[in-house]
Amino acid sequence: LRFVGLMSMIDPPKASVPDAVSKCRSAGIKVIMVTGDHPITAQAIAKEVGIISSQNHLIIFDSETPIPNSHQPGVAACVPGYVMMDWEEADLDKLIRSFTEIVFARTSPQQKLFIVEGYQRAGNVVAVTGDGVNDSPALKKADIGVAMGIAGSEVSKEAADMIL
């Protein structure tokens, strides 16, 4: 056997995303990220676009990481879906109360729905953007579901309240 080479690909965020995140924050909108990406990829993108502030300490949860009982100023969380597999509503509610900046990675469609419901229980008006079939349950449950027009699946468009 002979090693011939290595290839990698990147799907970078659009250049307008950091400004959009900043404008949302300025308007008092809390931006979180829920993705199917690997936690390392997810947190890197979240830092690049400003969902996680560069000055905040980041905790990437694993199955042994305890959920804090109080607000954690200056700390952001990245929570992979496998960590949430056995979570109850109270666990998610505690996480939402503890962290201002959260990225959920490697999430399933059911977990995306669970996260939307958690933020709604916390009294938030929830908007969800998505383009795939796996986003459809969360798009439907959100107070406003926003599907992507050109790249979006037909299922996501049907589940959404609005199409961009």
Side-chain angles (χ1 to χ4, degrees), residues 74-132:
V75 181
C78 180
V79 183
Y82 78 87
V83 172
M84 299 172 48
M85 300 253 319
D86 297 323
W87 277 15
E88 297 179 8
E89 289 179 355
D91 297 315
L92 179 60
D93 295 347
K94 189 161 60 163
L95 181 87
I96 291 169
R97 284 191 308 271
S98 298
F99 297 97
T100 304
E101 298 178 347
I102 306 175
V103 171
F104 296 94
R106 286 278 196 240
T107 54
S108 69
Q110 295 79 13
Q111 289 170 328
K112 291 177 182 185
L113 178 62
F114 181 62
I115 292 163
V116 169
E117 292 169 341
Y119 276 92
Q120 288 174 329
R121 273 193 311 279
N124 295 289
V125 175
V126 178
V128 171
T129 60
D131 60 5

Side-chain angles (χ1 to χ4, degrees), residues 7-8 20 29 33 42-43 47 52 56 62-63 65 75 94 99 102 117 122 129-130 136 148 156:
M7 184 183 100
S8 68
I29 298 169
M33 185 166 130
Q43 61 88 20
K47 285 180 179 178
I52 295 177
N56 279 358
D62 61 25
S63 53
T65 308
V75 181
K94 189 161 60 163
F99 297 97
I102 306 175
E117 292 169 341
T129 60
S136 298
M148 302 302 145
S156 67

Side-chain angles (χ1 to χ4, degrees), residues 11-104:
D11 184 14
K14 292 183 179 171
S16 60
V17 173
D19 186 50
V21 170
S22 177
K23 286 178 180 174
C24 286
R25 285 183 173 226
S26 295
I29 298 169
K30 181 177 182 174
V31 179
I32 66 162
M33 185 166 130
V34 182
T35 181
D37 288 343
H38 188 278
I40 293 172
T41 305
Q43 61 88 20
I45 291 169
K47 285 180 179 178
E48 183 179 343
V49 301
I51 292 171
I52 295 177
S53 305
S54 60
Q55 70 271 16
N56 279 358
H57 173 70
L58 174 67
I59 297 172
I60 298 180
F61 275 60
D62 61 25
S63 53
E64 303 299 316
T65 308
I67 304 168
N69 289 315
S70 60
H71 180 66
Q72 303 294 299
V75 181
C78 180
V79 183
Y82 78 87
V83 172
M84 299 172 48
M85 300 253 319
D86 297 323
W87 277 15
E88 297 179 8
E89 289 179 355
D91 297 315
L92 179 60
D93 295 347
K94 189 161 60 163
L95 181 87
I96 291 169
R97 284 191 308 271
S98 298
F99 297 97
T100 304
E101 298 178 347
I102 306 175
V103 171
F104 296 94

